[in-house]
Amino acid sequence: MNVTLLIDAIVRQTVVLIAELATNGGLRAPLARLADQVFLELARELESQGLSRKVSADMFGLALRSYQRKVQRIADGDGDRTRTLWEGVYEFIRSREVASRREVLDRFRHDDDEVVRGVLADLVESGLVFSTGPSQDTSFRAATEGEIGALARTLGKSDEMIWALVFRTGPTTAARLASSGGLSEADAEAVLDRLVRAGRVIRRDGPDGASYGTKKFDVAVGAPAGWEAAMFDHFHAVVRTMTTKLRASEQKSALDDSIGGSTYSFEVWPGHPLAGEVLGALKRFREQHSALRERVREYNRNDRRRPPVRQGVIMYGGQCVWELEDEDETST
C-alpha cells in the first residue's frame, strides 16, 4: 500500500468514526464547519512541520494565492465557528435569571429545533442547568459556581465540571479551583493536567505560577458526561504512537521496539477452549497496567530527584467482538 492509498484508507475510517459520533444515540450533531476545520488544521500542521505555503498549496492542488485566501477566510471566521451551539445556549441561559423553553427556541430559531432541544436536555442532564415546569412551559436556570462545585464533588472530581468552572471563572489557578470546586489542590492540578492534554484548557506559566483558561466549553449533545474524554484519550494515544513512529528514522518494527503497536485478531466460538483467555485479554491488560501505573505514581510522588527532561510513555489497549459468518471468514 502506498502513502496515498494509506491516507485514503485512514480518512475513510476517520469519517466512519465521526459519523458514528455525530449520530450516536439518536443525536444529530452539527457538521457544517467540519470541512473548513479539517482544511485549516491540516494547513496549520503542515506549516508547523516546516513546509512553505507554496508547497502546502501544491499538496492541496491549489494555486498559492487561492490557498492563502482560503486559509485567511477560514481563519478570520474561526473564532465565531468555535462558539458552538451548546456553548451559545448555555451562555444565553446564563445571561438571564430564568429563561423559558420558548425564549431559547426563539433565540436559536435559525438552528435545528431538535438539536436545540437536545442541547437543553444535555445541559440539564450534565447538571449545569436546572429546569422546572411542564414540558412545553419549562423554565431553565444556570447553576451557580457553588452548585457546579458541589456537583463536581458528587461526581467524583468530574473533568467536565472542572472544565465548566474554568470556562466560568478563568483565567484561574489550581488553588482557586480547589476552593470553588471543593477539591484538594493536588486533585485540581491532576484534572487540569488532563484537560490541558485533551486540548480543552490552555495553561500559561507566569511569574505568579500557572494559570488556566479556555475559550470554549462544549459536550456532545446527549452524551453522558465523561465518555467522550475517554474516547479522545484513546484516539489521541493511537495517533501519537503512529506519528511518533513515522517520525523515527526506522519505520520497520522489531520485537524490542519502545515505539509502535501491534494488532492481534482471533476467531473463537462458544465452547472454544481458548475463548475465555481471548475474551479476558482486555481485563487482564487493564488490571496489569492499572497496578503498574499506581506503582509508578507512588514512586514519583516520593522521589524528589525528578529531572527537567523526562520520558512520557503511553500504552493503550482495546478490544472489539463481533459475529463472523462463513462468508466473512478470512482466517484459518
Side-chain angles (χ1 to χ4, degrees), residues 237-262 311-316:
V238 175
V239 173
R240 167 165 280 190
T241 300
M242 291 192 293
T243 54
T244 303
K245 184 71 172 180
L246 285 169
R247 289 167 185 166
S249 57
E250 289 288 336
Q251 294 182 9
K252 62 183 181 181
S253 62
L255 291 177
D256 60 349
D257 279 349
S258 60
I259 301 171
S262 298
Q311 287 183 320
V313 181
I314 293 177
M315 284 182 279
Y316 54 88

Side-chain angles (χ1 to χ4, degrees), residues 10-25:
I10 289 176
V11 168
R12 173 58 187 160
Q13 291 306 307
T14 303
V15 168
V16 170
L17 175 60
I18 292 172
E20 182 60 39
L21 287 170
T23 59
N24 185 261

Side-chain angles (χ1 to χ4, degrees), residues 5 55 57 72 78 82 112 119 124 128 175 190 248 256 290 295:
L5 289 175
V55 173
Q72 190 62 49
D78 194 44
T82 58
D112 186 276
V119 168
V124 172
L128 297 173
D256 60 349
S290 293
R295 288 165 50 204

Side-chain angles (χ1 to χ4, degrees), residues 38 128 154 244 259 277 283 302 310 316:
V38 170
L128 297 173
T154 302
T244 303
I259 301 171
E277 187 173 348
K283 180 175 182 291
N302 297 323
R310 303 176 295 279
Y316 54 88

Side-chain angles (χ1 to χ4, degrees), residues 97-109:
E97 289 188 11
V98 176
S100 69
R101 183 187 299 276
R102 187 170 301 171
E103 288 175 322
V104 175
L105 293 176
D106 182 64
R107 167 62 180 79
F108 297 94
R109 59 187 176 278

Side-chain angles (χ1 to χ4, degrees), residues 128 158-165 195 200 217 219 225-226 228-229:
L128 297 173
S158 166
D159 290 19
E160 281 68 30
M161 296 301 102
I162 298 301
W163 191 15
L165 283 173
L195 291 172
R200 295 174 168 185
F217 174 51
V219 174
E228 69 282 356

